[in-house]
Amino acid sequence: LAALAQRPVRFILLTFLAVIGVGTLLLSLPRATVSGHIHPIDALFTATSATCVTGLIVVDTGSYFTRFGQAIILGLIQIGGLGLMSFTAFFSTILGVRLARKEVALFSRAYEADALSTVRRLLIYMLLATLLIELLGFGLLYQTWEPKFPDKNALLFSSAFHSVSAFCNAGFSLNADNMEPFVSSVGTSIIISTLIVLGGLGFIVLMNLTSFRRKALKGQPNTRLTLQTKLVLVVSAILILIGWLAITPMEWSNSMRGLGVGEKILAGYFQSVTTRTAGFNTIPTDALLPGTLFVMIVLMFIGASPGSTGGGIKTSTFAVIVLNFWANLRGKRRVEVFKREIPAGVIKQALAVLVGGLAFVVLGFFILLLLENQPPLDILFETVSAWGTVGLSAGITSELTYAGRIVIILLMFAGRVGPLSLGLAIGK
């Protein structure tokens, strides 16, 4: 824990690298794959994608890996989704190790909570919320898919796998065509998209919503949502709506051709939600129009909310940048929202995360342009999807050269630990 307090950025990098390394070794075992062999780069790619909850794949998860290999991937998704810092703090807590004030402040900054918040309370809530939500998702998916699964053991594992993958915003699927077979299933689309939204809101927001509801039911005075919760809920709703209204009409007669009106509306909603770093798809992404890909690139770059299981620059960062721009246009020195002023330090951190994200995307895009013989827009889509830890692909992931796969691996790693590390470095 000394490393956690004194060198947080190094700690985060090393722990993520350690988990990815262990995952790579386990996936390289003969019993992890059907053929008994996997290329080292592909094993590293899969382990990185799972730990960074991205979802990009170079081999089919359902047919290439055995149940043992799939279980390893599931474990990496769960660890990566909750975050290494939360696991470290949790085990130190249950072992009776008292966290110092610096460690409490570090953990609180990582999840954008009040530095005076009780770490134990946050940890317990995170683990209980994750367990309850994933169990609920598992139960609902089991009931929805039961008529289609003759093998009950396969149904149990598939329901658990997809519930965890959805809540952690990973996008890994055991189906060769991801969620495309369920494009007409209202139940599947609603369950998966709801799990994605809950995972993408962030634990601090979920905890505040739970506390707000409990106090409101008891009629306690001064019950209100925090500024972060309000900002996250409003921005998330707006972005989902924008994506829904943009994707649906553009793909109406293209990738959604042959679907009913209700199915098209549902598919458009699902794709808007999953673009926010989840990586599932009910319509073929390799058939999307250039305009649709561009809209999805923007949404993938923004990503989920702080302290969540998703990636991207975060909704709160995007909101702060937009509010700062709007204040400057009006000649205002103070940046305000919901009658609260946003501190200059927060604006500085948001701008740094934005510039850092753009730098990684531009550099990765340029290198992949030199390495790969693929359409530039598809490469840009792949680049942003990797850095935003989304997992959607325009169909070129498995066609990448090994050099290109290494670039994607680095982008996934940077997208998962980069924004957090940069924020902690600035906060320090």
Side-chain angles (χ1 to χ4, degrees):
L1 288 178
L4 184 63
Q6 297 173 6
R7 293 185 176 88
V9 175
R10 182 181 298 180
F11 175 83
I12 293 170
L13 294 176
L14 292 179
T15 48
F16 262 91
L17 284 173
V19 173
I20 291 172
V22 172
T24 301
L25 291 176
L26 291 175
L27 291 177
S28 299
L29 295 175
R31 63 177 298 196
T33 56
V34 175
S35 64
H37 173 75
I38 185 174
H39 193 283
I41 298 298
D42 291 343
L44 175 62
F45 190 103
T46 305
T48 305
S49 184
T51 306
C52 297
V53 290
T54 304
L56 288 173
I57 58 172
V58 287
V59 293
D60 180 55
T61 308
S63 61
Y64 194 89
F65 293 99
T66 62
R67 185 58 54 84
F68 172 77
Q70 294 166 1
I72 296 301
I73 293 172
L74 182 61
L76 294 175
I77 291 172
Q78 189 70 87
I79 294 173
L82 280 175
L84 274 299
M85 288 180 63
S86 60
F87 275 97
T88 302
F90 171 71
F91 285 115
S92 68
T93 300
I94 62 175
L95 291 174
V97 180
R98 184 178 178 83
L99 294 177
R101 180 173 295 182
K102 285 183 178 180
E103 293 159 351
V104 173
L106 169 62
F107 185 83
S108 299
R109 280 202 308 274
Y111 287 91
E112 302 222 352
D114 187 344
L116 298 178
S117 298
T118 304
V119 171
R120 184 189 296 271
R121 177 169 170 253
L122 177 57
L123 284 170
I124 292 174
Y125 181 86
M126 286 174 60
L127 295 173
L128 284 179
T130 299
L131 179 63
L132 290 175
I133 293 173
E134 289 178 351
L135 277 176
L136 181 60
F138 160 75
L140 292 173
L141 287 175
Y142 184 92
Q143 292 294 326
T144 303
W145 293 346
E146 188 174 16
K148 300 180 180 180
F149 273 82
D151 186 345
K152 298 305 176 184
N153 289 329
L155 173 61
L156 283 170
F157 185 80
S158 183
S159 300
F161 188 95
H162 288 92
S163 179
V164 173
S165 183
F167 179 71
C168 291
N169 280 211
F172 272 88
S173 176
L174 299 178
N175 306 313
D177 296 324
N178 207 278
M179 291 288 109
E180 290 180 35
F182 301 99
V183 65
S184 301
S185 174
V186 176
T188 300
S189 296
I190 296 300
I191 294 168
I192 295 292
S193 62
T194 302
L195 287 170
I196 292 169
V197 170
L198 291 175
L201 286 177
F203 292 106
I204 294 299
V205 172
L206 292 178
M207 187 165 67
N208 183 225
L209 288 172
T210 303
S211 176
F212 174 81
R213 183 177 182 277
R214 184 177 65 251
K215 292 180 179 179
L217 290 175
K218 292 181 179 179
Q220 296 182 9
N222 300 323
T223 301
R224 65 176 184 176
L225 297 174
T226 64
L227 176 61
Q228 176 178 321
T229 298
K230 293 178 181 178
L231 206 58
V232 164
L233 291 176
V234 171
V235 175
S236 296
I238 291 174
L239 291 175
I240 290 174
L241 183 61
I242 290 175
W244 190 6
L245 295 178
I247 294 172
T248 306
M250 284 192 289
E251 294 299 322
W252 192 271
S253 300
N254 185 47
S255 61
M256 298 180 185
R257 186 173 57 251
L259 299 177
V261 174
E263 294 171 334
K264 291 180 178 179
I265 294 174
L266 181 64
Y269 167 75
F270 185 89
Q271 210 56 60
S272 178
V273 170
T274 194
T275 304
R276 308 288 311 292
T277 86
F280 288 110
N281 62 283
T282 54
I283 54 178
T285 51
D286 56 354
L288 298 177
L289 295 172
T292 307
L293 292 177
F294 177 78
V295 170
M296 294 172 69
I297 286 172
V298 174
L299 293 175
M300 290 192 299
F301 184 77
I302 296 172
S305 301
S308 71
T309 58
I313 63 170
K314 309 301 183 186
T315 52
S316 57
T317 301
F318 174 72
V320 167
I321 293 170
V322 171
L323 290 169
N324 182 53
F325 174 74
W326 180 243
N328 286 330
L329 278 182
R330 295 183 297 161
K332 302 285 186 179
R333 292 187 177 182
R334 292 161 54 96
V335 180
E336 297 179 340
V337 60
F338 298 119
K339 299 181 181 180
R340 294 279 301 279
E341 181 181 2
I342 298 177
V346 174
I347 298 173
K348 176 183 177 182
Q349 182 172 334
L351 291 173
V353 171
L354 172 65
V355 173
L358 286 173
F360 275 112
V361 168
V362 170
L363 180 61
F365 177 53
F366 176 70
I367 295 175
L368 286 174
L369 281 176
L370 299 177
L371 296 175
E372 306 297 327
N373 184 26
Q374 299 288 347
L377 185 59
D378 290 352
I379 293 178
L380 178 60
F381 189 89
E382 197 85 8
T383 302
V384 177
S385 180
W387 182 84
T389 68
V390 182
L392 291 172
S393 174
I396 67 172
T397 311
S398 59
E399 300 176 7
L400 294 173
T401 62
Y402 283 114
R405 295 181 188 190
I406 292 175
V407 173
I408 294 296
I409 289 171
L410 294 175
L411 283 170
M412 291 189 290
F413 184 78
R416 186 57 177 158
V417 305
L420 175 58
S421 300
L422 182 59
L424 290 175
I426 296 172
K428 187 178 180 181

